[in-house]
Amino acid sequence: MTASTASLDQLRRCHFAVDLGAARTRVYVKGVGLVVDQPSAAAVNTRTGALIAVGEFAEKMTGRTPGYIRVVRPVSGGTVVDIEMAQRMLRHLLGDKIRRALRRKPRLRAAVCTPHDADPLSRRAAIETLVGLGARRVELVDTLIAAAVGCGLPVEQPEATMIMVCGAHATQVAVLSLGSIVAAERIPVGGEAVDHAIVQLLRHHHELVLPSQSVRPLQIALSGNGLTPQGPASTEIHGRDVATGLARSVRVDTAAVRNAIQTPLTAVLDGIGKVLRDCPPDLVADLADRGIMMVGGNALLPGFDQMLRQATGMPVHIAERPDVCAVQGLGTMLEGRIEPLALNPTSAD
């Protein structure tokens, strides 16, 4: 039931593809395109078990609900942790019209992204989730390969490409060549670790609690080039005083914010170093020219690309739409727009 790029013909037979991320869920339907791009969240009434909201609306409820309404996240770190809730969330996100259209397909086939080092249990959870939506066969595709295809890297060529998928819970780094992964590393540091570092900084140094964990403190504070040394020297952040519980705003030094997030981002640099050490020297030489392609929602962290450039001395590019690369890659495979590398037949055969 697994799939690699070798089974491109099996992927061409799939009718829809799902990218279940910790932060967002995206669904691509063959011949239609991207039909769902919503936060992976569901609001549940704990008294009745009824689903109140999913996606964007459920995300807005985080931290604002009465005690009996709980906002749950059925996906964590690219793995489905609550299969039943993930199925209910997907059904609602897809809506009746799309679900009816999919049900009409004989032998419905689906493709789903799984993290590079997913264990058998998390692979099984991804399969079960889609089987619950009516899929008769589920193909598993490595997130790294799907993202590389989605951002237009020449995955099938005998030259090295380095991709970095910056997710909410983890960052995956890999070197690809000839359609497969040569070396890869999964670093358990993502956008949430960066947010957490800033939340801690504000709490310890300014005694300020942010309104909700779902607020991207970085994005509020440092839009544009805020994280670079050329950005603004300080920024104002609104929150609640730890002691009094009253609303208060403080001016935060951006240099302090930069230092706070340096620790989680250093772990990412270590991961890149390890992947390069595991790579054959010929491929590393390719990478010196081509550099790193950043994809995933967290690739847009202000100043992250510059930091990588300085630390590695390699060119760093951010994909055009980094957040949807993986699902676009799945779509490209479903529509059969990627050609496997054809070997020239030799006369000796």
Side-chain angles (χ1 to χ4, degrees), residues 172-188:
Q172 300 177 71
V173 185
V175 173
L176 311 171
S177 180
L178 282 174
S180 51
I181 292 168
V182 179
E185 191 68 26
R186 186 168 186 266
I187 306 123

Side-chain angles (χ1 to χ4, degrees), residues 53-70:
V54 292
E56 208 84 54
F57 194 36
E59 176 105 304
K60 285 196 178 114
M61 289 183 176
T62 308
R64 297 167 184 267
T65 58
Y68 64 91
I69 294 177
R70 204 159 60 92

Side-chain angles (χ1 to χ4, degrees), residues 227-266:
L227 260 191
T228 57
Q230 300 82 40
S234 67
T235 185
E236 196 165 350
I237 293 187
H238 307 284
R240 192 182 74 191
D241 191 287
V242 171
T244 64
L246 300 174
R248 185 161 70 89
S249 59
V250 292
R251 285 210 78 76
V252 180
D253 190 14
T254 43
V257 175
R258 266 204 305 281
N259 291 340
I261 69 167
Q262 210 69 33
T263 314
L265 295 185
T266 307

Side-chain angles (χ1 to χ4, degrees), residues 261-327:
I261 69 167
Q262 210 69 33
T263 314
L265 295 185
T266 307
V268 175
L269 292 175
D270 293 346
I272 292 174
K274 187 173 185 313
V275 169
L276 291 172
R277 283 196 297 279
D278 293 346
C279 244
D282 295 13
L283 292 182
V284 177
D286 282 356
L287 293 173
D289 307 330
R290 309 195 62 123
I292 306 170
M293 176 66 83
M294 292 172 72
V295 302
N298 217 40
L300 297 168
L301 210 60
F304 190 14
D305 52 334
Q306 268 132 311
M307 188 189 131
L308 285 178
R309 248 177 240 126
Q310 284 164 355
T312 61
M314 289 159 71
V316 176
H317 317 281
I318 299 177
E320 201 173 314
R321 291 206 49 208
D323 48 341
V324 293
C325 279
V327 76

Side-chain angles (χ1 to χ4, degrees), residues 73 116 146 212 260 290 318:
R73 294 188 165 273
H116 174 61
S212 162
R290 309 195 62 123
I318 299 177

